[in-house]
């Protein structure tokens, strides 16, 4: 038998320690990912599923004369706008603060929304539209503010 055929590959020599070590490493990474980011994933999934939360806020913003003047007519918000923004639900999931991108016929903006669930409906406490570009039109338009 030749010397070459009796040699073992790296994989054959190290498989006994590499496979368990890789498995433990994957479990550790998975544990930290889901414990640290689990709430964020849950918040986005919940906001993604609640169409009326975003649609009603966009409708209210679109009715504001200053928003129409600066942003133009607001286009329907797609699901990716929620995923590109920021979402924070309360522990009991009855209150939410979120930021989503909206696109208008004149420019795009960010919309900040704070709302609380009242039965099956959402009661909005704050809706702000922030315009950054173009710089000469940079401003925040307060569409709705409920003082407590």
């Amino acid at each position: 038998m030749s010397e070459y055929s009796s040699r073992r590959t790296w994989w054959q020599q190290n498989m006994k320690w590499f496979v368990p070590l890789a498995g433990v490493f994957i479990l550790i990474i998975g544990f930290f990912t889901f414990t640290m980011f689990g709430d964020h994933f849950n918040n986005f999934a919940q906001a993604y599923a609640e169409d009326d939360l975003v649609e009603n806020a966009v409708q209210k913003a679109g009715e504001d004369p200053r928003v129409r003047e600066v942003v133009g007519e607001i286009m329907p918000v797609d699901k990716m706008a929620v995923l590109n923004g920021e979402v924070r639900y309360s522990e009991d999931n009855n209150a939410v603060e979120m930021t989503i991108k909206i696109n208008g016929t004149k420019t795009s903006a960010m919309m900040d929304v704070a709302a609380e669930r009242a039965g099956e409906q959402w009661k909005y406490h704050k809706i702000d539209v922030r315009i950054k570009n173009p710089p000469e039109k940079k401003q925040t338009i307060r569409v709705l503010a409920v003082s407590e």
Side-chain angles (χ1 to χ4, degrees), residues 8-24:
R8 293 172 40 191
T9 64
W10 181 90
W11 179 250
Q12 290 171 333
Q13 292 175 350
N14 298 300
M15 181 175 58
K16 290 181 183 177
W17 65 266
F18 184 79
V19 171
L21 185 64
V24 169

Side-chain angles (χ1 to χ4, degrees), residues 7 14 21 25 27 46 66 89 94 104-105 120 140-141:
R7 286 186 157 187
N14 298 300
L21 185 64
F25 183 71
L27 287 174
Q46 189 169 352
R66 284 188 58 214
Y89 274 89
N94 285 328
T105 54
E120 294 295 316
T140 299
I141 301 170

Side-chain angles (χ1 to χ4, degrees), residues 105-134:
T105 54
K106 296 180 181 178
T107 189
S108 62
M110 298 301 285
M111 184 173 68
D112 301 320
V113 178
E116 188 173 333
R117 190 186 310 268
E120 294 295 316
Q121 302 294 320
W122 286 98
K123 180 181 175 186
Y124 296 93
H125 296 289
K126 177 184 88 167
I127 300 175
D128 290 341
V129 176
R130 294 181 286 127
I131 297 101
K132 290 186 179 181
N133 292 319

Side-chain angles (χ1 to χ4, degrees), residues 45-62:
Q46 189 169 352
Y48 190 82
E50 299 195 53
D51 291 331
D52 60 333
L53 172 64
V54 175
E55 289 174 5
N56 292 340
V58 169
Q59 180 183 359
K60 288 180 185 296

Side-chain angles (χ1 to χ4, degrees), residues 41-90:
F41 293 137
N42 186 34
N43 287 342
F44 281 114
Q46 189 169 352
Y48 190 82
E50 299 195 53
D51 291 331
D52 60 333
L53 172 64
V54 175
E55 289 174 5
N56 292 340
V58 169
Q59 180 183 359
K60 288 180 185 296
E63 293 170 354
D64 186 271
R66 284 188 58 214
V67 172
R68 283 197 311 260
E69 178 185 327
V70 178
V71 178
E73 183 181 338
I74 298 176
M75 305 295 174
V77 176
D78 63 348
K79 296 288 188 177
M80 293 306 291
V82 174
L83 297 177
N84 289 330
E86 184 179 336
V87 180
R88 287 186 309 270
Y89 274 89
S90 64

